[in-house]
Amino acid sequence: MSSTPAGPEFPGKRLPQLVLLLVAIVVVAVVWLEGGRPEGDLLDQMARRSLPLEQALGNGKPTVIEFYADWCESCRTMAPGMEQMVEDHPQVDLVLLNVDNPSWQPQVQRWNVNGIPHLQLFDANGESRGQSIGLRQPQELSAIAVALETGEPLPTLAGIGAISSLDPTSEPSRRDISSNVGPRSHG
């Protein structure tokens, strides 16, 4: 009678599988403890922390409203710079509005958001100072925040400027085509 050493071989054959299972459990636990969100989901985290729009515009602090979308790579790229701006300039409020959320469509139309990232800039009195369209570098965002804090002119950068108050009755022959264009139209 020969006996097979099945008992002593079993732990040796299963050890790599048990180690992999343990590693998988640790990874799942770490992700769960961090809120289940990948590091790249900074936009969502910032949006959840941002003040309600009307509160930000009425609290006596300058405000930056960012129109963004989860799928927008420029918005994701700019998110760490926006986070740094908030940290460096706590007296400037940041409000994030997702253009894919139907509840923000009145604001998208009000400020003629045709591309993202789109920043609407307000002074401490809630008065519009201008807008910025497109990706901004951290130093540009800081310069915008400083201008809003101090009341100085906005920095001279491509895609940034004051908003004109056009009187639609002054040019009756012009056709408004902005209603046919939306922030997702550049797809």
Side-chain angles (χ1 to χ4, degrees):
M1 282 181 144
S2 74
S3 68
T4 59
E9 288 182 28
F10 177 75
K13 289 183 178 179
R14 295 282 190 197
L15 187 60
Q17 293 172 343
L18 291 173
V19 169
L20 286 175
L21 178 62
L22 182 60
V23 168
I25 291 170
V26 169
V27 168
V28 168
V30 168
V31 169
W32 179 76
L33 288 172
E34 290 182 347
R37 301 209 178 276
E39 189 175 313
D41 208 17
L42 182 58
L43 277 173
D44 184 54
Q45 294 170 16
M46 291 169 53
R48 290 177 191 273
R49 289 191 312 257
S50 72
L51 289 176
L53 177 60
E54 294 306 318
Q55 181 182 350
L57 291 176
N59 68 4
K61 295 169 70 175
T63 301
V64 174
I65 300 172
E66 179 182 1
F67 289 92
Y68 77 100
D70 295 326
W71 48 262
C72 172
E73 287 303 317
S74 294
C75 301
R76 290 188 171 285
T77 300
M78 195 167 77
M82 294 297 288
E83 181 83 342
Q84 188 65 48
M85 181 192 76
V86 169
E87 289 178 21
D88 293 346
H89 303 275
Q91 59 279 20
V92 175
D93 288 332
L94 175 63
V95 176
L96 275 78
L97 304 180
N98 190 328
V99 298
D100 289 331
N101 183 335
S103 66
W104 297 122
Q105 287 312 300
Q107 288 76 18
V108 166
Q109 292 174 354
R110 176 180 178 191
W111 287 302
N112 198 25
V113 177
N114 290 316
I116 51 175
H118 177 116
L119 307 178
Q120 281 298 132
L121 311 170
F122 297 88
D123 65 17
N125 297 320
E127 299 294 323
S128 179
R129 290 280 312 277
Q131 64 184 1
S132 168
I133 301 171
L135 178 65
R136 291 283 164 225
Q137 299 302 314
Q139 65 273 18
E140 295 172 324
L141 294 169
S142 181
I144 290 169
V146 168
L148 292 175
E149 291 169 336
T150 62
E152 294 180 13
L154 293 171
T156 305
L157 302 167
I160 193 169
I163 300 171
S164 62
S165 56
L166 296 176
D167 179 6
T169 61
S170 66
E171 297 182 46
S173 62
R174 291 193 63 174
R175 185 174 150 233
D176 180 16
I177 60 169
S178 64
S179 62
N180 297 331
V181 180
R184 293 173 293 285
S185 65
H186 69 280

